[in-house]
Amino acid sequence: MRWSWKVASVAGIPIRIHVTFFLLLVWLFWAGAARGLAHAAEGVGFILAAFACVVLHEFGHALTGRRYGVVTRDITLLPIGGVARLDRIPRRPSQEVAVALAGPLVNVVIAGALFLVMRLSGDVHLRDPGFFERSFIARLFAFNVGVTAFNLIPAFPMDGGRVLRALLATRLEYVRATRVAATVGQAVALLFGFAGLFVPNPILLLIALFVFIAAGQESAFVRMRTVFEGVPVSRAMITDFRALRADDPISRAVELLLDGHQQDFPVLAGSDGEPPVGILARADLLKAIAGGRTDTRVGEVTRRICGAVRPEEMLEDVFRRMQESGCPAVPVFEPGRGLVGMVTLENVGEFAMVEAALHRAPRSDAPSGGPGGYETRGYEPGR
Ligand code: ZN
């Protein structure tokens, strides 16, 4: 995720913090400082403790996933919760259920431990709102109960939605199961939205919006991934295109841009046997011209991060890397044959549409528990 920094690495999983999370801390401190420095520090301390619980929740997913051979790329903290990026979801529905439930289970354990602490110290007054005001532990207890309850709502993007999908996937085709779970998610979001309007509570409205968007995204994402599953780059790449050389003048690029339908160009190194050095994106070309750099060489405005991929690589992986790195296109290079094609976001989108149209019928080779991004959220509900 862009705008996030790695702050630690636990059990080989990087923990990243998004810049907006720092902003939340600063804002909380600033808002609390009006009632004194100690008050502000306590507020920030509580958020840090709460998010430590969220990180543990995400580790519940990640470490359970690891038992089934699923790699977690990282865990990112956002003001709205945590996100564990699991490479894939486990194949078997029973394993997906286990991975999904492991997160909330962590919060149940934490809540249990905190309750025990309160019991042992003889300070338990759960019916007294003032108790939560003065007791840090009681607030953390309530937070963990809330996270558990929220995540068990059987709707995407909450963990309960994953359980629902896994259960549906034992009966339905995977994409269908996801769509049903996502629709339930959006219905729940509408309920939250109405509740948020009537109460009225802006945080509830925000959650409703977030759930609604995330549920739709999940559904589209799974559909996309299903279309790409097992498809090599060579099947989706463009083979009719123009390329540039790193030492071409930029005017050459302008010529090609103006006379064709192509917007982004693979850039070749000196000799043909070498892999292309990257992509000249239209946006970069226009920026260079607007900046008065009309006598520069193509190589100087080439996006080298958009390096060559192999024709046998999986489209799914390449597409994900393109999205993450913001590359509009990547060249396809085959050692011995040179530049054989290029993949653009546009042509991948078209490929997906054609494939989806061709494969409307349920696919027998996509068993339940098929592909799917697994983003999961530990969440602080209405507080
Ligand atoms: Zn979760």
Side-chain angles (χ1 to χ4, degrees):
M1 204 169 291
R2 275 184 243 177
W3 291 97
S4 66
W5 289 284
K6 184 177 148 184
V7 288
S9 192
V10 178
I13 300 169
I15 300 174
R16 308 174 67 88
I17 292 188
H18 197 260
V19 62
T20 49
F21 183 74
F22 285 115
L23 290 181
L24 173 75
L25 289 183
V26 171
W27 178 76
L28 271 171
F29 189 82
W30 182 76
R35 290 169 62 185
L37 221 56
H39 189 82
E42 209 217 350
V44 170
F46 178 77
I47 286 296
L48 289 179
F51 272 82
C53 296
V54 169
V55 169
L56 291 174
H57 170 111
E58 300 303 331
F59 268 100
H61 293 307
L63 297 180
T64 310
R66 183 177 283 181
R67 283 190 48 199
Y68 303 124
V70 177
V71 174
T72 299
R73 286 191 285 160
D74 52 27
I75 290 172
T76 305
L77 281 185
L78 298 159
I80 205 146
V83 178
R85 284 197 307 160
L86 274 61
D87 248 11
R88 57 185 179 82
I89 60 138
R91 286 271 145 189
R92 305 232 318 258
S94 60
Q95 295 179 347
E96 181 175 15
V97 170
V99 171
L101 288 182
L105 189 63
V106 167
N107 298 106
V108 169
V109 170
I110 297 173
L114 291 171
F115 186 75
L116 205 65
V117 170
M118 290 189 285
R119 271 306 279 274
L120 290 176
S121 64
D123 191 21
V124 194
H125 311 276
L126 296 182
R127 296 217 179 117
D128 170 19
F131 175 55
F132 292 97
E133 276 280 308
R134 68 184 151 84
S135 168
F136 187 93
I137 290 183
R139 281 210 302 281
L140 203 55
F141 167 79
F143 173 78
N144 278 284
V145 171
V147 167
T148 306
F150 183 79
N151 273 296
L152 288 181
I153 295 173
F156 266 122
M158 282 73 77
D159 295 329
R162 290 174 196 287
V163 175
L164 176 64
R165 174 185 46 199
L167 294 180
L168 288 171
T170 60
R171 296 289 173 94
L172 296 175
E173 193 234 348
Y174 194 74
V175 177
R176 232 2 260 278
T178 303
R179 201 181 309 144
V180 173
T183 306
V184 175
Q186 295 190 318
V188 169
L190 288 177
L191 284 180
F192 280 175
F194 278 123
L197 280 177
F198 280 112
V199 173
N201 182 336
I203 293 177
L204 209 53
L205 273 176
L206 203 67
I207 292 175
L209 194 67
F210 157 74
V211 169
F212 194 87
I213 292 172
Q217 272 178 349
E218 175 81 19
S219 186
F221 188 62
V222 167
R223 222 165 33 227
M224 194 78 147
R225 296 271 303 245
T226 306
V227 166
F228 290 168
E229 197 191 24
V231 174
V233 162
S234 58
R235 258 189 64 200
M237 68 189 183
I238 306 173
T239 51
D240 182 18
F241 61 92
R242 311 288 291 271
L244 290 161
R245 288 192 176 277
D247 55 4
D248 278 338
I250 207 130
S251 57
R252 172 81 187 131
V254 175
E255 245 169 64
L256 289 185
L257 181 69
L258 291 178
D259 78 14
H261 296 294
Q262 201 174 328
Q263 306 196 326
D264 310 298
F265 302 88
V267 179
L268 294 162
S271 76
D272 281 345
E274 281 177 65
V277 292
I279 287 284
L280 175 66
R282 184 178 66 164
D284 297 340
L285 175 59
L286 295 179
K287 212 185 288 169
I289 297 168
R293 298 167 65 192
T294 44
D295 56 350
T296 186
R297 300 275 147 189
V298 165
E300 284 168 50
V301 281
T302 296
R303 267 193 221 183
R304 289 172 194 264
I305 191 178
C306 310
V309 299
R310 300 283 185 88
E312 69 273 14
E313 276 186 71
M314 287 295 119
L315 187 59
E316 188 183 329
D317 301 330
V318 170
F319 179 63
R320 191 170 62 204
R321 290 210 301 271
M322 287 169 77
Q323 284 191 314
E324 281 174 3
S325 56
C327 286
V330 288
V332 183
F333 177 78
E334 193 175 343
R337 285 187 59 206
L339 181 64
V340 293
M342 89 184 235
V343 175
T344 69
L345 287 180
E346 211 180 352
N347 97 271
V348 168
E350 280 162 7
F351 176 83
M353 280 195 294
V354 172
E355 281 290 297
L358 287 174
H359 296 282
R360 285 263 186 259
R363 284 169 49 169
S364 55
D365 61 343
S368 56
Y374 197 104
E375 295 209 339
T376 182
R377 287 162 174 91
Y379 206 82
E380 180 191 12
R383 161 175 266 285

